[in-house]
Amino acid sequence: MKRLDSLIRVRQWQLDESRRHVAELEASIERTEARIRSLDGNIETEGKLADQAGPGSGFAAYAAGVRERRRKLAQTLETLGGELAQARELVAEAFQELKKFELVQESRRMRERAEAGRREQFALDEIAAARHRPTSQ
């Protein structure tokens, strides 16, 4: 039983690590989305300021740079999305593995309890039978 307990602890640790990785990826996706929103807000604000400043303000070069950064962030977001899907699959697999071991452990415990109950009942039957045996005089 100790060996099974050790396996369950290892599987639980693996599941926890997989869940932590998923959480990290989700946080990275949120940060990347926030950076994209920030860039969109900056380009809008700078566009309004450039309209007020008139032509020759250098906004076109700035906008091109922002578009390139946004494109790279969108690629990063796509990559992170793929990694997140894979990480979620790993969590599901780790959970299934853990459940297998937990079910085996529970099955063993039930068998042990049933066996202990049978032994106890046998002992009680022996005591009852001994009480009802005729005593030799």
Side-chain angles (χ1 to χ4, degrees), residues 117-136:
R118 281 191 293 276
R119 284 192 304 266
E120 182 180 350
Q121 188 60 47
F122 180 74
L124 291 174
D125 289 346
E126 285 294 313
I127 292 170
R131 283 188 167 188
H132 292 301
R133 284 190 194 125
T135 57
S136 28

Side-chain angles (χ1 to χ4, degrees), residues 11-83:
R11 295 297 179 178
Q12 183 65 50
W13 179 81
Q14 288 172 337
L15 177 60
D16 291 343
E17 286 299 309
S18 296
R19 286 178 175 160
R20 272 190 277 282
H21 184 62
V22 165
E24 289 170 1
L25 287 172
E26 288 172 342
S28 292
I29 287 172
E30 288 177 20
R31 284 191 303 271
T32 303
E33 288 172 341
R35 289 175 65 194
I36 288 173
R37 285 190 302 274
S38 175
L39 284 176
D40 290 345
N42 287 346
I43 193 97
E44 186 177 319
T45 303
E46 292 295 326
K48 288 177 184 175
L49 292 174
D51 286 344
Q52 292 173 358
S57 64
F59 177 73
Y62 171 77
V66 169
R67 279 193 297 273
E68 179 62 22
R69 278 183 288 199
R70 190 181 194 295
R71 184 187 65 77
K72 287 180 180 178
L73 287 172
Q75 285 177 339
T76 300
L77 197 56
E78 188 176 320
T79 302
L80 288 172
E83 288 179 23

